[in-house]
Amino acid sequence: MKKNIQLLDDFVYTVMNRKRKQLAEQGQEMEKEDILSRFLLEKEKSYSNIDDKYLRDIILNFMIAGRDTTAGTLSWFFYMLCKHPHAQDKIAREVQTVIKMQDGEGKAGIESFSDYLTEEAINSMQYLHAALTETLRLYPAVPLDGKCCFSDDTLPDGFDVNKGDLVHYQPYPMGRMKFLWGEDVDDFRPERWLNNEGIFVPQSPFKFTAFQAGPRICLGKEFAYRQMKIVAATLLYFFKFQLWDSSREVKIRTMLTLQIDGGLHLRAMHR
Ligand code: HEM
């Protein structure tokens, strides 16, 4: 444990020092303001109470919270799309339509594609948004989340908990409960998130708990959607995907986050 913590600390401090050096060299002319630079600039202010250890924890928190969650969700998403080719085609068509509207000249090439992936374009990909959300319902990146009671309390259903008790809420089973989602709970159906006009309609975060709910809801939720939509739209615009071995059963790797055991092996073909 000690050795592993040291490994993580060394990594984070190296990242921090590199950025510090970069900032000193480039000063206010820094082209891209990433989150670490913002904290470092904040830290320099006289009233700031951010010390190096605190900053290390923030950076580590963002890395832990932001990497495996989106990466794992994208694996499950492509797994779902291979199992449901009609949904895969529908997303590809949606991306093509949106990009064509921006481009106005037929199929954009890889060089120009990212220019058309504007905020407006990403926001108008409603079916893709629904398909990612449906993936998270069935395969929430944080399948089980533990909390420690700070004081004796009574839960809304009357259940008493005591100070120090460990309580879990469980997005994985909650996403598969018939009384919450209906008889077709086991089906991958992005349409359940869309209204008649094809617009995404969010559910209460206390029902769809993949990002947690309340004041400590995931800080990176919107960022995560944007990141996943950019990756998914780019890949699906240019490629069609199939499972490398459709007879291989996909298994869950039990970790803090929900991963596919051994990774997901795909065959990619030009669209
Ligand atoms: C599919 C993607 C993601 C899912 C499903 C997800 C889910 C969650 C969940 C369940 C929590 C609550 C954990 C707890 O009990 O404390 C959380 C917290 C958090 N997430 Fe995410 N997350 C995702 C992506 C991201 C990304 C990309 C970032 C940042 C770049 C991020 C930043 C955070 C932070 C900073 C917290 C702590 C918030 C706080 O304690 O106030 N997350 N996330």
Side-chain angles (χ1 to χ4, degrees):
M1 182 74 172
K2 271 189 186 152
K3 236 168 78 186
N4 288 336
I5 288 177
Q6 189 61 49
L7 195 80
L8 283 174
D9 281 359
D10 289 348
F11 177 79
V12 178
Y13 282 128
T14 308
V15 173
M16 278 164 55
N17 290 336
R18 199 169 48 216
K19 184 60 72 183
R20 211 175 255 135
K21 219 171 126 206
Q22 230 178 339
L23 272 177
E25 281 164 11
Q26 299 176 325
Q28 300 304 326
E29 287 157 33
M30 278 281 289
E31 242 182 53
K32 283 187 184 164
E33 256 196 48
D34 53 274
I35 194 153
L36 175 55
S37 314
R38 280 167 189 255
F39 275 115
L40 281 171
L41 291 172
E42 199 60 31
K43 186 174 173 306
E44 279 167 19
K45 293 184 181 158
S46 53
Y47 55 81
S48 165
N49 56 2
I50 303 175
D51 61 18
D52 259 23
K53 195 168 163 296
Y54 186 58
L55 189 57
R56 176 205 65 185
D57 292 344
I58 293 175
I59 300 309
L60 198 58
N61 195 13
F62 267 85
M63 277 168 38
I64 293 170
R67 184 192 172 275
D68 289 354
T69 45
T70 40
T73 304
L74 280 168
S75 296
W76 290 112
F77 171 74
F78 278 99
Y79 176 60
M80 283 291 95
L81 296 195
C82 291
K83 288 277 183 193
H84 303 89
H86 70 280
Q88 183 172 163
D89 289 343
K90 214 166 161 175
I91 296 171
R93 278 201 303 279
E94 181 178 68
V95 178
Q96 281 159 6
T97 310
V98 171
I99 297 298
K100 207 169 176 175
M101 264 157 42
Q102 305 276 325
D103 179 26
E105 298 171 359
K107 198 159 165 61
I110 187 81
E111 303 79 19
S112 57
F113 181 80
S114 61
D115 294 342
Y116 301 120
L117 218 49
T118 57
E119 188 156 337
E120 190 194 350
I122 293 166
N123 288 344
S124 59
M125 294 174 189
Q126 299 282 303
Y127 189 82
L128 172 56
H129 200 98
L132 283 165
T133 312
E134 182 70 344
T135 303
L136 280 164
R137 177 180 70 82
L138 290 167
Y139 300 102
V142 182
L144 170 127
D145 196 0
K147 306 282 166 194
C148 186
C149 298
F150 274 161
S151 57
D152 295 354
D153 205 349
T154 304
L155 298 180
D157 68 351
F159 192 87
D160 288 330
V161 288
N162 299 318
K163 181 176 176 179
D165 280 355
L166 197 61
V167 178
H168 287 87
Y169 74 95
Q170 304 193 32
Y172 187 92
M174 277 185 80
R176 291 158 185 263
M177 286 175 176
K178 277 193 182 142
F179 82 92
L180 285 176
W181 300 99
E183 285 302 312
D184 63 353
V185 69
D186 294 328
D187 300 346
F188 175 79
R189 211 170 59 76
E191 288 76 10
R192 80 173 76 239
W193 296 90
L194 300 171
N195 68 13
N196 290 338
E197 278 84 48
I199 306 294
F200 179 82
V201 183
Q203 295 275 345
S204 157
F206 291 92
K207 174 180 171 186
F208 171 64
T209 53
F211 291 98
Q212 188 172 243
R216 299 298 293 270
I217 195 166
C218 172
L219 213 59
K221 184 178 167 208
E222 299 310 319
F223 183 81
Y225 269 110
R226 183 162 315 183
Q227 204 180 28
M228 293 190 296
K229 283 172 91 169
I230 291 171
V231 174
T234 309
L235 288 176
L236 291 164
Y237 185 79
F238 293 103
F239 300 101
K240 237 185 238 182
F241 293 93
Q242 279 174 359
L243 291 175
W244 181 259
D245 177 2
S246 51
S247 63
R248 184 187 153 225
E249 206 190 319
V250 164
K251 292 204 183 95
I252 290 171
R253 185 165 167 221
T254 315
M255 295 173 70
L256 201 63
T257 52
L258 198 70
Q259 303 291 328
I260 294 181
D261 195 14
L264 181 70
H265 296 254
L266 298 177
R267 196 188 303 270
M269 290 142 295
H270 279 288
R271 211 173 262 287

